[in-house]
Amino acid sequence: MEIFREIKSLKAFLRKKKLAQIQIGFVPTMGALHEGHLSLIEASRKHGLFTVCSIFVNPAQFNNASDLANYPRTETTDIDLLTRAGCDVLFSPSAQEIYPQKAGLRFTFPGLDTVMEGAFRPGHFSGVGLVVSKLFNIVEPDHAFFGQKDWQQFTIIRQLVHDLNFNLTLHAVPTMREENGLAMSSRNQRLSAEEKIKALVLYQTLKLAEAELLNGKTMHEIFPKLKALAENDSSVKIEYLTLANRHTLESVNTLTQKNQLVLCIAGFVGEVRLIDNILI
Ligand code: PAF
């Protein structure tokens, strides 16, 4: 696997691939890689694409300094995992390389960025929009792969690609889960063994909510009950449990539209903030 830290040398390398008509698949990440990320690399490879992965912990998308400082950074292991997964190129730039000067551009995604994550992490999706635009301009991929676990992020990037005419195809790859159902996440590395078991409550809450909704209950009816149940353990704090249209992210109260909805949850387990969702 070739490793690049500078935009200029990466672009020169990729230009040769493009001239040779080689199609590029791109997997942007913030590192601390797990099987979920590797499934994105695998999806790109399965499409027969020359696969570029980026690792960049993007300061612009963190609205909390300690969250940024505590974000796991495991580059040596990541390089090993990517090499074994058959990734062709790693782009791992410094913050100075991506932001040589403070960026002035701000993104808004009306209707999409003020709900759920947007309500709890102001500015987060502007930072995501900024860095993903930069990375798309640097790599110029034909295909880009994102995890379904960040469904709201995927919806916003779809809007970004549409609005800015990025010439690429987006793919959402299903969430990888531990055997017990816990969604794989880089943030899981910050959980103790005991917290890892407690963190399962997010997925369990999603499944309980799904069963209640299928029985005709409304979100207004079930939310207080399920929140209280999850928070029975004092180290768990649920921020939201939202049923929404999976394209517009408009919240809905009942299972009216089949195969059009997403049920999303976010919460803290100890100090670690986790998200999860299921498509319904
Ligand atoms: O999902 C992530 O890891 C990040 O938000 C992304 C898309 C790499 C942008 O920094």
Side-chain angles (χ1 to χ4, degrees):
M1 182 176 68
E2 302 273 348
I3 301 176
F4 294 90
R5 308 225 175 245
E6 284 166 12
I7 297 170
K8 205 172 160 193
S9 50
L10 174 71
K11 273 178 109 50
F13 178 84
L14 292 179
R15 196 168 306 124
K16 289 189 203 131
K17 300 288 168 198
K18 287 178 215 293
L19 285 173
Q21 311 273 314
I22 290 170
Q23 294 261 304
I24 294 173
F26 181 40
V27 179
T29 80
M30 298 206 298
L33 302 181
H34 49 72
E35 276 178 55
H37 295 112
L38 300 182
S39 74
L40 304 181
I41 303 285
E42 195 188 329
S44 171
R45 282 170 49 82
K46 273 202 177 134
H47 278 78
L49 303 168
F50 185 82
T51 301
V52 179
C53 175
S54 65
I55 295 182
F56 180 62
V57 183
N58 173 33
Q61 71 187 75
F62 286 82
N63 55 325
N64 176 321
S66 79
D67 195 22
L68 173 62
N70 289 324
Y71 200 85
R73 289 161 173 87
T74 57
E75 199 190 64
T76 312
T77 322
D78 291 349
I79 290 174
D80 188 42
L81 287 171
L82 287 172
T83 307
R84 282 195 274 137
C87 182
D88 297 296
V89 167
L90 168 63
F91 177 48
S92 182
S94 64
Q96 176 65 22
E97 182 71 4
I98 297 294
Y99 298 109
Q101 58 195 48
K102 204 171 182 300
L105 186 62
R106 297 285 177 275
F107 285 82
T108 55
F109 301 91
L112 302 177
D113 66 352
T114 48
V115 295
M116 299 192 283
E117 288 303 282
F120 289 89
R121 304 180 70 189
H124 168 68
F125 288 117
S126 177
V128 170
L130 180 62
V131 82
V132 170
S133 301
K134 280 174 175 274
L135 292 169
F136 282 171
N137 279 328
I138 294 165
V139 177
E140 296 181 63
D142 300 288
H143 296 258
F145 297 82
F146 293 86
Q148 187 189 300
K149 187 175 78 68
D150 296 285
W151 183 262
Q152 186 173 10
Q153 169 173 278
F154 181 73
T155 310
I156 280 172
I157 292 170
R158 192 164 48 196
Q159 182 80 50
L160 181 82
V161 166
H162 178 264
D163 287 356
L164 294 182
N165 294 86
F166 282 113
N167 188 17
L168 55 87
T169 306
L170 279 182
H171 303 261
V173 178
T175 304
M176 294 286 284
R177 298 185 179 278
E178 304 287 352
E179 241 168 70
N180 64 7
L182 175 66
M184 289 187 187
S185 164
S186 303
R187 291 169 189 268
N188 292 355
Q189 296 190 16
R190 292 182 52 209
L191 297 168
S192 67
E194 197 190 336
E195 285 172 336
K196 250 190 189 156
I197 295 166
K198 290 182 178 182
L200 189 52
V201 74
L202 295 190
Y203 185 56
Q204 284 168 339
T205 304
L206 287 174
K207 295 307 279 180
L208 280 174
E210 182 185 34
E212 297 268 35
L213 290 164
L214 286 168
N215 277 333
K217 294 270 171 46
T218 68
M219 285 303 291
H220 292 322
E221 284 166 345
I222 65 179
F223 178 68
K225 200 176 83 183
L226 292 181
K227 178 171 159 67
L229 191 66
E231 292 179 351
N232 209 12
D233 185 314
S234 61
S235 61
V236 175
K237 175 99 191 68
I238 301 296
E239 283 192 334
Y240 63 79
L241 173 67
T242 304
L243 180 66
N245 177 286
R246 65 172 82 157
H247 310 286
T248 64
L249 302 185
E250 221 172 301
S251 86
V252 295
N253 196 27
T254 52
L255 279 194
T256 41
Q257 311 138 300
K258 229 174 169 246
N259 296 328
Q260 294 298 323
L261 301 176
V262 60
L263 185 60
C264 300
I265 192 166
F268 279 91
V269 178
E271 297 289 301
V272 185
R273 189 174 182 283
L274 300 169
I275 60 173
D276 198 357
N277 68 68
I278 50 175
L279 297 177
I280 304 188

